[in-house]
Amino acid sequence: MTVIISVLLLVMYRQLITEQEIQIAQHIEAEVTRYQNLARVHDRLGFAKQVSAAAGQAVFVSWHNGAHVLGAMSYIPEDLPIYPQTKEFMVFAGGSHKLFVLTGGIAQTQMGPVLIATRSDHLVTVFDEFIGASITAITMTLLLTLTLGWLFSKAILRRIQRYQELSALIEHGDYGIRFPIGGRRDEFDVVAKQFNQVLDTLESNLAAVRGVTDNIAHDLRTPLSHLRMGLERLQTLPSDQVADASAGLIEELEHCLATFDSMLSLTRIEGGQRPLEREPVSLHELCQDLQEMAEAMAEAKSQSLQINLGLDRTISGDKHLLFQALFNLVDNAITYAGTESTIVIEQHEGMICIRDNGPGIPEDCRERVFERLVRLDPSRQHKGTGLGLSMVKAILSRHNATITLKDNQPGLIAVVEFEC
């Protein structure tokens, strides 16, 4: 900023000096023309009077009248150029021994050479005053810049220090802290907003991990307790009852292993560690396979399983995984819709809907059911791992498909849409 102001002041000074020099040149030109005209209309005596009358005015005029020099000066310097060339020179004038700086030249007239000059020492004064004003302006600008810079740096350091304090608290486990965002919308606010988004995600993930941990503990505590008590009872049972008791314990153990296998499989699918065995898949055939597999399950619960097929669509995907995901939706509908309910499998082009007229899912819980180990039945009366819908969403995401849960009034609609 100081450099810019210095350059601007230099440009202003150059323009000011140039303007002054132009005015001096115009003044000298006008006087030269005037005395050339006077020389044509006056005789030597009249011209001498005109030259003498100019003494003490702003213009310095001198003329050789024979052996004498008339006008403002008692002599004419020998090295002065012929007008229109001009030159600066210094003289003592007015008998005051005051040194004047003049600019002028020798003008040729009918009465001979005439020295015509004007004072230009005011340019030196302009220079001195301008330099003084420039130094003052630059000094004030420099001081103002340094002061503002210091205040600005202090403000930045305060914000950085505040961020460091908050970072230390976050490092010690206080993940609910957020960086302050002001109304300035500067770089700090942009970075703070991004960090806050990261912290939101981190806190959400930690909450999900805690929820998964709690759910794992809740789901596995009962079967593990049964296993422990069963193993203790085995020692006291008669030999003919050991086989039946062992079968029950194995069933409990298989439930625990199924939970861990499902979690491992879900992690592999979400992380892309399991490759998709892609092949052309007809959605007509997929829905018909679903009906064939689930029909007996629905009949066992006195339910009606219907299928409505529209225009077919062939997609590229892993048929086994897609069947697993869609069958999970149908199985959930059969499990939770209740006896004598109606389950409908609908398909039209790239959309498949699983409808039921059961109790449905509250609207505020429809996103939660896709989280790991989340079960809306707190009593855990229905057996399961709580990973089914998480697996469904992971499989569909790998196939660039979406799933949405909607109200069937009554019941639930699971809408699966495949990309075109």
Side-chain angles (χ1 to χ4, degrees):
M1 182 176 179
T2 304
V3 175
I4 295 175
I5 291 178
S6 300
V7 172
L8 291 176
L9 290 173
L10 180 61
V11 172
M12 291 173 60
Y13 170 74
R14 187 65 262 174
Q15 291 178 342
L16 180 61
I17 292 300
T18 301
E19 183 64 27
Q20 293 290 325
E21 290 174 346
I22 292 173
Q23 291 181 6
I24 290 173
Q26 291 175 346
H27 192 193
I28 293 175
E29 181 182 8
E31 293 299 322
V32 167
T33 302
R34 189 166 77 88
Y35 278 94
Q36 286 176 341
N37 292 333
L38 289 175
R40 284 193 291 267
V41 299
H42 289 283
D43 56 12
R44 293 185 69 84
L45 180 59
F47 187 74
K49 289 181 179 180
Q50 292 293 330
V51 171
S52 299
Q57 297 181 359
V59 178
F60 288 73
V61 182
S62 296
W63 173 55
H64 274 286
N65 185 14
H68 302 285
V69 176
L70 300 178
M73 296 181 294
S74 58
Y75 76 100
I76 298 178
E78 296 180 354
D79 58 346
L80 293 179
I82 303 300
Y83 186 81
Q85 299 296 323
T86 59
K87 178 182 178 181
E88 281 190 352
F89 58 96
M90 293 181 291
V91 297
F92 289 100
S96 60
H97 301 289
K98 185 174 181 179
L99 186 64
F100 288 164
V101 178
L102 306 180
T103 297
I106 302 298
Q108 298 293 348
T109 70
Q110 292 184 3
M111 297 296 177
V114 178
L115 168 61
I116 299 179
T118 187
R119 290 182 61 179
S120 58
D121 47 11
H122 64 283
L123 294 180
V124 178
T125 303
V126 170
F127 176 78
D128 292 339
E129 293 177 351
F130 190 86
I131 291 298
S134 299
I135 292 174
T136 301
I138 292 174
T139 302
M140 294 298 293
T141 302
L142 186 59
L143 289 175
L144 181 61
T145 302
L146 292 175
T147 302
L148 292 177
W150 180 79
L151 294 174
F152 184 69
S153 64
K154 289 290 288 183
I156 291 178
L157 288 175
R158 280 197 300 269
R159 296 179 74 178
I160 292 175
Q161 185 178 6
R162 179 58 178 162
Y163 288 170
Q164 289 176 337
E165 294 172 354
L166 295 176
S167 299
L169 294 175
I170 294 171
E171 186 178 356
H172 286 84
D174 192 351
Y175 300 110
I177 286 177
R178 295 295 180 267
F179 290 103
I181 299 177
R184 285 173 282 192
R185 298 182 180 179
D186 55 9
E187 291 80 1
F188 281 94
D189 286 343
V190 173
V191 173
K193 183 178 180 181
Q194 292 175 341
F195 269 106
N196 288 343
Q197 291 174 350
V198 172
L199 290 172
D200 289 340
T201 303
L202 176 61
E203 190 174 26
S204 176
N205 291 339
L206 288 174
V209 169
R210 293 190 186 100
V212 168
T213 304
D214 292 342
N215 289 331
I216 289 176
H218 192 283
D219 280 351
L220 297 185
R221 181 176 180 178
T222 299
L224 290 176
S225 298
H226 290 170
L227 282 172
R228 182 178 182 277
M229 290 186 295
L231 290 172
E232 290 176 349
R233 288 180 57 199
L234 277 179
Q235 301 175 4
T236 62
L237 291 176
S239 58
D240 59 339
Q241 298 180 12
V242 171
D244 292 338
S246 298
L249 295 177
I250 292 173
E251 183 180 354
E252 294 284 356
L253 184 59
E254 286 180 347
H255 173 70
C256 297
L257 292 175
T259 299
F260 286 111
D261 288 343
S262 298
M263 291 181 64
L264 181 59
S265 178
L266 176 58
T267 300
R268 288 175 175 173
I269 292 174
E270 287 179 338
Q273 298 172 0
R274 173 173 176 174
L276 299 180
E277 299 178 2
R278 291 187 177 274
E279 59 179 308
V281 179
S282 167
L283 296 186
H284 265 192
E285 294 179 3
L286 195 60
C287 292
Q288 289 169 349
D289 291 342
L290 290 173
Q291 181 191 26
E292 182 179 346
M293 181 65 69
E295 196 166 20
M297 298 169 55
E299 289 179 358
K301 297 190 68 173
S302 302
Q303 295 172 336
S304 171
L305 180 61
Q306 303 174 5
I307 183 170
N308 297 324
L309 300 179
L311 295 175
D312 193 12
R313 166 72 59 80
T314 299
I315 63 172
S316 175
D318 190 316
K319 185 175 182 179
H320 173 72
L321 287 179
L322 287 173
F323 179 83
Q324 179 183 347
L326 294 174
F327 183 78
N328 195 300
L329 295 176
V330 176
D331 182 49
N332 281 353
I334 293 173
T335 301
Y336 296 103
T339 58
E340 299 183 356
S341 58
T342 301
I343 292 93
V344 181
I345 303 172
E346 294 182 352
Q347 178 271 330
H348 181 71
E349 293 189 342
M351 183 174 66
I352 296 177
C353 298
I354 313 295
R355 299 175 180 267
D356 67 69
N357 57 354
I361 297 177
E363 185 176 357
D364 57 346
C365 297
R366 291 174 191 164
E367 288 299 322
R368 285 188 56 235
V369 295
F370 292 108
E371 299 175 8
R372 295 189 180 198
L373 298 172
V374 170
R375 297 172 67 183
L376 300 183
D377 177 18
S379 64
R380 300 307 206 253
Q381 292 180 355
H382 297 282
K383 283 193 174 183
T385 62
L387 296 170
L389 290 179
S390 299
M391 186 75 73
V392 169
K393 189 168 186 179
I395 293 173
L396 294 178
S397 296
R398 288 289 303 277
H399 288 81
N400 297 321
T402 60
I403 179 170
T404 308
L405 301 182
K406 299 180 179 180
D407 192 357
N408 195 34
Q409 297 181 352
L412 185 71
I413 308 175
V415 181
V416 178
E417 295 184 86
F418 294 91
E419 287 188 354
C420 299

